[in-house]
Amino acid sequence: MRFGNVLNSRGSVVPIFLKQIKAGGPVTITHPNMKRFVMDIPSAAKLVLKAAAIAQGREIFILKMPVMRIIDLAEVMIEIYSPRFGYNPADIRIDTIGLRCGEKIDEVLMTPDETTSACESDEMFMILSKKLPYGEEISVSVPEGFREVSVGTYSSDDGRVLTKEEIRGILKDNPDLCLN
């Protein structure tokens, strides 16, 4: 399985941003144009369960996810959470610290090569493995509800970007995201 960024999981920026806001800032981002696929923990759990139910072996499952601009997440979190810690949102700045070695502005979860052996449903992609490690062919079937892939790649550069209002809704609908 390939996941996007699972909000509030280990490695998520949500707890980092919250800690920085609680300290009065600054909130640090690596690049203002950075975009990532995102999902909440319940969506990640549903993907695992659905994939387990249809898996035949060796497939890769990728949930179709919305895209979030990291700077939008930082700005919305500052608006929502800084008053809870006694700060004026206007007083918490956002600093750009630069990309880390190997870090990319956009995220690719399925390459053009992989789309040649992939199929999709309305909610996920499934990349089918047709060979075992030593070249032996295996037989795989496309599960009911899946069809030929309609995209040449799956990249955050091409995905639907969440609005700030939608980000506010995600934070509101998942109050445990920011209880740390």
Side-chain angles (χ1 to χ4, degrees), residues 6 17 19 21 44 47 69-70 73 79 84 88-89 110-112 126 128 136-137 140-141 150 152 169:
V6 180
F17 287 173
K19 183 178 179 181
I21 294 166
L47 174 61
R69 289 181 55 221
I70 300 302
L73 175 62
E79 291 169 18
R84 295 183 187 186
N88 180 339
M110 187 170 59
T111 67
M126 182 173 69
L128 303 165
E136 186 180 329
E137 297 283 327
V140 292
S141 60
S150 62

Side-chain angles (χ1 to χ4, degrees), residues 93-114:
R93 71 179 196 278
I94 296 176
D95 287 349
T96 301
I97 59 174
L99 294 174
R100 289 173 268 181
C101 185
E103 192 172 28
K104 296 182 170 68
I105 291 175
D106 287 297
E107 173 175 48
V108 176
L109 291 183
M110 187 170 59
T111 67
D113 276 353
E114 290 173 322

Side-chain angles (χ1 to χ4, degrees), residues 3 41 52 56 64 66 75-76 80 89 100 124 135 137 139 170:
F3 289 97
I41 292 171
Q56 299 168 56
K64 292 182 178 178
E75 290 171 353
V76 169
I80 293 172
R100 289 173 268 181
M124 72 177 75
E137 297 283 327
S139 175
I170 289 170

